[in-house]
Amino acid sequence: MTELRFYAACLASYNSGRLHGIWIDASTDIDEMQAEVNKMLRESPYPNVEVACPDCGGAPNPECPTCRGRGRDPSSEEYAIHDSEGRWNLGEYPGLERIVKFMALVEKAEDRGIDPDDVQAILGHFGTDYSTTAGGAIENQFHGAYDSLTEYAEQFVDECYDLKNVPDIIKFHIDYEGIGRDMELGGDVFTIDKHQGGGVLVFSAC
């Protein structure tokens, strides 16, 4: 299912007061998306360059119905991404490489059981230009989704410390909220608020 589309606009047409472009499904395949952009540019009503014919590869072929043996096709040269629609906001004027990196993050998140709607917040924590760092956190530093940091702290203590012989009067007074808060303030973990339904995503800070 397509989660995101973007609109690639021909700049020569735009600057001439005419809209010419194409809606493209975002994916991790940059070659496929570039091919759709190139096709749109070759169909521009305001061509300003010539490019190798895609059907004959630029090698003159008298039988080629596209270039009629010239090996070249008229095309517009430049484009820009002017709009997007779907689950995420790509920001202002993203390039194809940024889109590919973002969709790769979505795939990594889904593999780890992270709601795709939370990917934008994770990337926002590190910064738009740090998709590799965000991907590393998703793959190697993600502990899980919890109702609160307190819940994570309680699980952490239970898994790391043997409380079987600790009297209930002590166990029932352990300040898990304070432990969680100190873990975050001390730089051991960081949290991302979930996009829907409340709760947090917990990550190791390093």
Side-chain angles (χ1 to χ4, degrees):
M1 180 175 63
T2 299
E3 304 284 359
L4 180 68
R5 299 196 309 157
F6 61 90
Y7 185 76
C10 167
L11 288 182
S13 299
Y14 182 80
N15 292 334
S16 298
R18 180 171 174 179
L19 291 179
H20 174 73
I22 185 174
W23 283 97
I24 299 173
D25 293 338
S27 72
T28 56
D29 191 335
I30 193 169
D31 292 333
E32 181 179 296
M33 292 190 293
Q34 186 66 63
E36 293 190 62
V37 170
N38 291 346
K39 182 176 183 295
M40 177 273 293
L41 292 175
R42 291 194 303 273
E43 295 171 350
S44 170
Y46 295 96
N48 50 19
V49 295
E50 287 193 334
V51 297
C53 174
D55 293 326
C56 63
N61 179 358
E63 298 181 0
C64 178
T66 302
C67 67
R68 296 182 175 85
R70 296 180 62 247
R72 308 289 291 176
D73 268 351
S75 174
S76 180
E77 184 175 18
E78 297 181 312
Y79 74 96
I81 296 172
H82 282 177
D83 197 7
S84 64
E85 61 179 26
R87 299 173 76 167
W88 305 281
N89 178 6
L90 293 175
E92 188 174 12
Y93 305 126
L96 294 183
E97 288 188 1
R98 179 184 292 182
I99 292 173
V100 166
K101 290 178 180 178
F102 184 82
M103 297 309 292
L105 276 184
V106 171
E107 290 185 358
K108 289 180 180 180
E110 290 180 316
D111 289 344
R112 293 300 315 276
I114 298 174
D115 190 327
D117 284 329
D118 294 320
V119 172
Q120 195 135 40
I122 296 171
L123 183 58
H125 175 83
F126 295 99
T128 305
D129 295 328
Y130 292 89
S131 57
T132 301
T133 305
I138 289 172
E139 289 184 317
N140 305 312
Q141 297 164 231
F142 178 59
H143 291 293
Y146 298 86
D147 290 337
S148 65
L149 185 55
T150 300
E151 182 188 22
Y152 168 74
E154 185 171 359
Q155 177 182 302
F156 174 82
V157 171
D158 184 61
E159 291 178 350
C160 296
Y161 300 95
D162 185 3
L163 301 181
K164 293 179 181 178
N165 298 320
V166 177
D168 288 347
I169 193 171
I170 295 177
K171 282 195 292 187
F172 293 156
H173 287 83
I174 295 176
D175 182 10
Y176 293 112
E177 182 179 0
I179 292 172
R181 181 176 60 250
D182 287 349
M183 292 175 77
E184 188 167 33
L185 291 175
D188 297 307
V189 300
F190 68 87
T191 61
I192 302 291
D193 291 335
K194 287 181 59 61
H195 180 73
Q196 293 180 338
V200 295
L201 305 175
V202 179
F203 297 81
S204 294
C206 59

